[in-house]
């Protein structure tokens, strides 16, 4: 049928009808909030390239976790900023390392909070790369050993989900075996399977103090020109036992999110990364855009593209918006 019998505007006049026919809705249940925990006491350092995001010492971190749950957000992703770094990031495997200590403290609070621990060495190596350097590049097979140790230690501390973000080959399989051998066969692995080498991560590297001191991450993270390669990454990680798959970044990769969602039946998580956040913040501080309108539009687009779950630094603001605050 065509005009005038068909009038597409009919379903747009009444706001309640518009709400009724809305195809994609964001809920607090879809959101994961990334957080940075550091050593020391009473520290609340605003990250200069990420206004509104903080490095928090454990005391403030706990208070912020309470705030997160009050707003209805149920999941956080933790990154740690340690006091010391070394060549291979071994410090991240110690049971008293910063993230392990933070997790143990949160657990004491009995909050209704799912704790996802990022597993990577880049915050813990003195050169800022995601693993052990041999002959000027990250050595795959040595690095995955340290990642497996780090994962077991984080789960022992109380992490609910392990999220390896390093992009080494074989790490999901090794981590799965290590967890199973330690009696943690129930702990899911959320694999950063499709992680591009991206200029969108630079504010995060300020936040986590993980900028590589030489070179870049192009020998392990994916080339942003590639999309078929994403299927190979997903296939590999699922074969090795990944329970959930991540695509990262999100906004410039909606096509990848869409394709991966069509391709696989496991939950697809999209990470709306630091640079995506910082660009919105900068533009809104200049009053060039309406911050929360843009945030809702972009976040909805990520879900509409196929993401089941979205990791976003805007999670608390989205929760306020959804709660009409
Ligand atoms: C660690 C890691 C990074 C991010 C998440 N985990 C940085 C990187 O790979 O350099 C980026 C997150 C963001 O930009 O918000 N490997």
């Amino acid at each position: 049928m065509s005009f005038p019998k068909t009038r597409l505007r009919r379903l747009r006049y009444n706001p309640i009808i518009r709400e009724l026919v809305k195809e994609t809705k964001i809920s607090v249940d879809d959101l994961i909030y990334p957080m940075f925990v550091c050593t020391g006491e009473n520290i609340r350092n605003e990250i200069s390239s990420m206004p509104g995001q903080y490095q928090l010492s454990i005391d403030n971190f706990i208070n912020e976790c309470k705030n997160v749950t009050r707003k209805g957000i149920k999941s956080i992703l933790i990154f740690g900023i340690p006091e010391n770094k070394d060549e291979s990031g071994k410090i991240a495997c110690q049971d008293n390392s910063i993230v392990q200590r933070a997790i143990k403290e949160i657990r004491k609070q009995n909050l209704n909070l799912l704790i996802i621990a990022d597993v990577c060495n880049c915050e813990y190596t003195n050169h800022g790369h995601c693993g052990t350097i041999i002959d000027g590049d990250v050595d795959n097979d040595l690095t995955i050993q340290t990642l497996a140790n780090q994962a077991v230690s984080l789960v022992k501390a109380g992490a609910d989900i392990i999220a390896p973000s390093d992009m080494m080959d074989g790490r999901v399989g090794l981590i799965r075996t290590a967890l199973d051998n330690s009696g943690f066969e129930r702990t899911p692995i959320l694999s950063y399977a499709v992680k591009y080498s991206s200029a969108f991560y630079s504010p995060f590297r300020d936040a986590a103090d993980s900028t590589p001191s030489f070179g870049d991450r192009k020998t392990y993270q994916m080339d942003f020109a590639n999309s078929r390669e994403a299927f190979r990454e997903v296939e590999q990680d699922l074969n090795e036992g990944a329970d959930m798959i991540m695509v990262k970044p999100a906004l410039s990769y909606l096509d990848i999110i869409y394709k991966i969602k069509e391709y696989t039946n496991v939950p697809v998580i999209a990470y709306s990364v630091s640079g995506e956040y910082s660009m919105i913040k900068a533009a809104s501080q200049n009053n060039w855009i309406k911050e929360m309108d843009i945030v809702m539009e972009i976040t909805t687009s990520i879900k509409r593209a196929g993401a089941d779950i979205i990791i976003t630094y805007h999670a608390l603001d989205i929760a306020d918006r959804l709660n009409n605050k």
Side-chain angles (χ1 to χ4, degrees):
M1 235 183 308
S2 56
F3 178 80
K5 291 231 162 101
T6 297
R7 288 182 181 271
L8 293 172
R9 292 184 63 196
R10 254 181 229 128
L11 296 181
R12 297 182 194 144
Y13 292 112
N14 178 330
I16 301 176
I17 295 184
R18 286 202 299 273
E19 201 54 32
L20 201 61
V21 300
K22 199 187 279 294
E23 296 175 34
T24 310
K25 289 183 185 173
I26 303 286
S27 134
V28 285
D29 295 333
D30 303 330
L31 304 177
I32 298 172
Y33 184 51
M35 299 177 73
F36 302 96
V37 64
C38 64
T39 56
E41 246 172 81
N42 198 22
I43 293 174
R44 187 177 168 82
N45 283 341
E46 188 167 31
I47 299 151
S48 57
S49 53
M50 299 180 74
Q53 303 302 315
Y54 298 83
Q55 296 175 334
L56 301 169
S57 53
I58 292 179
D59 47 345
N60 285 330
F61 182 74
I62 298 296
N63 287 334
E64 188 58 14
C65 287
K66 291 179 185 162
N67 184 36
V68 167
T69 54
R70 267 196 298 275
K71 289 182 189 284
I73 302 288
K74 300 184 191 77
S75 307
I76 59 169
L77 173 63
I78 307 192
F79 298 97
I81 302 131
E83 53 212 324
N84 299 310
K85 304 192 184 221
D86 60 38
E87 277 295 315
S88 62
K90 274 195 301 293
I91 186 170
C93 310
Q94 293 168 0
D95 291 345
N96 64 351
S97 194
I98 178 65
V99 173
Q100 285 84 337
R101 275 190 278 142
I103 294 175
K104 283 182 212 155
E105 287 303 317
I106 308 176
R107 284 295 172 229
K108 286 188 197 155
Q109 306 294 321
N110 277 323
L111 296 174
N112 190 20
L113 193 62
L114 188 87
I115 302 173
I116 306 171
D118 186 89
V119 171
C120 192
N121 285 325
C122 63
E123 298 118 72
Y124 303 92
T125 52
N126 46 26
H127 42 73
H129 274 288
C130 297
T132 307
I133 303 288
I134 304 277
D135 294 336
D137 197 2
V138 177
D139 185 84
N140 194 89
D141 300 13
L142 282 178
T143 298
I144 60 178
Q145 299 292 338
T146 64
L147 295 170
N149 293 339
Q150 188 187 350
V152 170
S153 166
L154 288 164
V155 176
K156 256 200 246 160
D160 296 297
I161 296 180
I162 284 300
S165 68
D166 50 282
M167 289 298 280
M168 298 300 124
D169 288 312
R171 91 276 209 212
V172 171
L174 202 70
I175 291 172
R176 183 71 274 156
T177 305
L179 291 177
D180 291 354
N181 289 344
S182 307
F184 298 125
E185 66 282 345
R186 291 191 186 190
T187 306
I189 297 177
L190 159 53
S191 166
Y192 286 67
V194 185
K195 178 174 177 180
Y196 286 91
S197 176
S198 169
F200 282 98
Y201 306 150
S202 61
F204 172 94
R205 293 176 189 169
D206 294 340
D209 187 22
S210 63
T211 307
S213 58
F214 64 92
D216 52 40
R217 304 210 202 288
K218 289 189 198 303
T219 71
Y220 41 104
Q221 299 179 347
M222 283 176 62
D223 184 336
F224 58 72
N226 294 354
S227 75
R228 284 183 302 152
E229 188 186 356
F231 297 116
R232 301 190 67 200
E233 285 286 356
V234 168
E235 217 171 282
Q236 167 167 284
D237 287 4
L238 292 178
N239 282 337
E240 290 179 23
D243 301 282
M244 297 185 270
I245 289 296
M246 192 192 300
V247 176
K248 174 188 174 186
L251 187 53
S252 291
Y253 299 85
L254 296 180
D255 56 329
I256 307 296
I257 294 171
Y258 178 81
K259 287 181 188 171
I260 295 300
K261 182 57 176 289
E262 299 276 295
Y263 175 75
T264 174
N265 294 323
V266 298
V268 174
I269 287 92
Y271 194 151
S272 180
V273 299
S274 56
E276 300 176 46
Y277 174 86
S278 301
M279 291 195 303
I280 293 176
K281 281 287 173 183
S284 84
Q285 284 180 346
N286 279 298
N287 289 320
W288 292 338
I289 55 166
K290 284 200 178 130
E291 178 173 340
M292 284 315 293
D293 289 351
I294 294 272
V295 166
M296 294 310 290
E297 186 171 337
I298 290 178
T299 310
T300 303
S301 76
I302 296 169
K303 189 164 181 194
R304 193 188 62 224
D308 299 294
I309 301 161
I310 301 161
I311 304 174
T312 171
Y313 300 97
H314 300 286
L316 302 187
D317 294 336
I318 296 173
D320 282 345
R321 171 84 164 227
L322 295 172
N323 298 331
N324 284 321
K325 282 204 190 120

